[in-house]
Amino acid sequence: MKKWTALIILIVLCFSLTGCWNYREIESFSIVAGIAVERDPKNGDIILCIEIIEASGSTQEQNMESKIVVSRGQTVFDAVRSAIDTSGKRLFWSHAQIVIFSEEIAREGILELLDWFYRNAEPRLTLRLLVAHNVSAKDVLTSTGITNKIRSYEIDKMLENADNIEKYPRVDLYQAVQMLRSQKPYAYLPCITTKKQDEITVPKICGTAVFKGDQLAGFLDEEDTKYFLFVIDEIQGGLVVKKNVQDEPGTSVSLEIFDSATKVVPVISDGKISIHIQIKTDVAIAEIGPYLSVANKPSITAIKTDMQVFLNQNILRVIHKAQSEFDTDIFGFGQLVYQEMPSVWKQYKENWDAEFKNLTFQVTSEIMVRNTAESIKTLGEADNAG
């Protein structure tokens, strides 16, 4: 009898405990896709431009559209709550994909603005961060999508394809916080602008925003970004293109990257730190211009050697640019010294900015040619048969 009583109680309890403890009707929320953050220059208010997803059409054939809600407040959270006045609903953040900071607000500093996104339970730590360049953050979010009516999701898809292009980095919220919490805070984010295409304005990701601490220090264009990504070991694909190969005017080579690995080693000698950078890149010769041949091993070796020198020179050029123009260690060399040589780091920690400007570098690139595509001849070579 006692067993049957216990079983009945157990069954009743199972039914009473089913369901989600914090269940909320989705119709009572506005689903956020992305957000642009700006500041009112007159009173210092935070202005949020929020893209909200809306479903239209019948139950069987629903279309996903978006609308823009603009709110303001003294802080990010204050502006988020103020959005209820416009949308009529609380915001649901779990589907948000991107946050775009205006160039002006990035120059002031982004750490304080990241706090709410990082601290709140709803926004994901994989939120993608960007900086608007030569355009307002709001204009980016209100531009026209080509492949997706929801601009935030289209921009997120562009960032997903970064590995195939290698002209801009891809940085999530948690990664930005890690950089800003390092021994010598630094950061880099992709920058975004707009461009005209077929009489409409569309978003375009356009390189890298460079930060000294949490404040914007400048920009790297798409070409410089490629070599920056080589240094920080974030190259997974893309192209390396060189004209005037082996000093031959009018020639060109396009190498398709299949894989790349970078090893960075800090070395101390006579009380001075130098950084050794070793790069191994697996490529195919995807395109060659006229007058070049890859018909034999010596010709391939000559092209490979020329491209290795070209890669080394461009990497050093971008490093020197960071040293002279930005005065910020965006490569994280200081963090590497701290991890691998903690006793040395104690000596240089307080004056690392000055030390970074005087660092010397040794760059060694090894390019391995996997194949030369379908043909060993250029279109400019004549067939000798017949």
Side-chain angles (χ1 to χ4, degrees):
M1 184 66 182
K2 290 183 179 179
K3 290 183 179 179
W4 282 107
T5 303
L7 181 60
I8 292 170
I9 293 173
L10 182 61
I11 293 172
V12 171
L13 286 174
C14 287
F15 279 108
S16 66
L17 294 175
T18 58
C20 184
W21 69 271
N22 65 342
Y23 175 77
R24 296 172 292 180
E25 291 287 348
I26 194 63
E27 290 81 4
S28 64
F29 289 85
S30 292
I31 300 175
V32 177
I35 183 171
V37 185
E38 299 183 332
R39 190 184 297 280
D40 189 329
K42 295 180 180 179
N43 59 15
D45 278 356
I46 297 293
I47 300 175
L48 302 184
C49 180
I50 307 167
E51 185 176 25
I52 293 174
I53 303 172
E54 289 190 329
S56 61
S58 64
T59 306
Q60 290 77 18
E61 296 183 8
Q62 281 197 342
N63 295 317
M64 303 305 293
E65 305 281 349
S66 73
K67 71 175 184 179
I68 300 297
V69 171
V70 178
S71 66
R72 62 172 59 218
Q74 297 181 52
T75 65
V76 171
F77 192 27
D78 187 24
V80 167
R81 283 296 173 88
S82 296
I84 299 174
D85 297 337
T86 304
S87 68
K89 302 177 182 179
R90 288 189 60 179
L91 303 182
F92 184 71
W93 287 88
S94 293
H95 293 287
Q97 299 294 325
I98 64 167
V99 178
I100 305 172
F101 295 105
S102 71
E103 185 172 336
E104 293 75 18
I105 216 164
R107 292 193 184 279
E108 297 173 7
I110 61 171
L111 190 58
E112 181 181 351
L113 300 174
L114 291 178
D115 185 79
W116 181 82
F117 296 103
Y118 190 75
R119 190 181 300 275
N120 194 279
E122 280 191 8
R124 298 179 183 180
L125 294 178
T126 53
L127 266 175
R128 301 275 164 75
L129 308 182
L130 305 99
V131 175
H133 184 34
N134 291 331
V135 65
S136 73
K138 179 180 178 181
D139 286 347
V140 173
L141 210 55
T142 56
S143 58
T144 304
I146 296 178
T147 61
N148 197 319
K149 294 179 181 179
I150 303 171
R151 270 84 69 196
S152 297
Y153 288 177
E154 180 166 310
I155 293 168
D156 180 64
K157 187 59 66 175
M158 292 178 188
L159 292 169
E160 282 291 335
N161 290 323
D163 291 345
N164 298 317
I165 301 173
E166 304 301 352
K167 293 182 177 181
Y168 45 81
R170 184 175 57 210
V171 182
D172 294 343
L173 171 61
Y174 77 92
Q175 294 171 317
V177 171
Q178 285 177 351
M179 287 187 280
L180 292 171
R181 284 180 171 177
S182 64
Q183 286 289 306
K184 200 65 181 178
Y186 70 102
Y188 55 84
L189 299 177
C191 53
I192 189 167
T193 187
T194 59
K195 68 174 183 177
K196 286 287 186 180
Q197 182 168 313
D198 297 330
E199 298 184 358
I200 61 173
T201 301
V202 299
K204 182 184 186 302
I205 306 176
C206 57
T208 305
V210 174
F211 287 77
K212 182 178 177 64
D214 74 325
Q215 296 180 323
L216 179 65
F219 295 93
L220 292 174
D221 63 21
E222 294 175 352
E223 187 69 10
D224 286 350
T225 293
K226 181 187 304 179
Y227 304 108
F228 165 66
L229 293 174
F230 267 109
V231 178
I232 64 173
D233 198 20
E234 289 292 338
I235 289 285
Q236 301 299 326
L239 302 176
V240 176
V241 180
K242 184 180 188 299
K243 293 186 176 181
N244 301 328
V245 183
Q246 302 174 56
D247 296 325
E248 288 288 338
T251 60
S252 65
V253 170
S254 297
L255 301 182
E256 181 182 7
I257 301 169
F258 292 112
D259 193 21
S260 185
T262 301
K263 183 178 181 181
V264 181
V265 180
V267 176
I268 182 119
S269 178
D270 297 328
K272 294 184 178 180
I273 300 174
S274 62
I275 305 294
H276 293 191
I277 301 171
Q278 302 168 351
I279 300 170
K280 291 186 177 181
T281 306
D282 190 16
V283 306
I285 299 177
E287 184 180 14
I288 54 176
Y291 319 121
L292 286 178
S293 173
V294 289
N296 53 58
K297 188 173 181 180
S299 61
I300 294 175
T301 300
I303 291 173
K304 186 170 70 170
T305 300
D306 193 60
M307 295 301 288
Q308 287 173 169
V309 172
F310 175 74
L311 184 56
N312 293 346
Q313 290 174 340
N314 278 283
I315 287 171
L316 285 170
R317 178 180 58 78
V318 172
I319 291 173
H320 293 155
K321 186 172 186 176
Q323 288 177 304
S324 60
E325 294 185 25
F326 304 136
D327 190 24
T328 177
D329 178 13
I330 56 172
F331 310 94
F333 295 138
Q335 184 69 14
L336 188 63
V337 172
Y338 163 71
Q339 292 170 348
E340 299 194 7
M341 299 187 295
S343 59
V344 174
W345 176 251
K346 290 180 181 178
Q347 179 182 351
Y348 292 101
K349 178 180 179 180
E350 298 303 323
N351 297 307
W352 181 249
D353 287 343
E355 185 64 27
F356 170 70
K357 296 186 72 171
N358 296 316
L359 286 178
T360 57
F361 296 88
Q362 178 182 310
V363 180
T364 305
S365 299
E366 181 182 353
I367 293 177
M368 294 159 286
V369 179
R370 179 182 293 186
N371 59 54
T372 57
E374 294 297 320
S375 174
I376 62 174
K377 294 181 178 181
T378 68
L379 296 182
E381 287 185 89
D383 287 325
N384 294 322

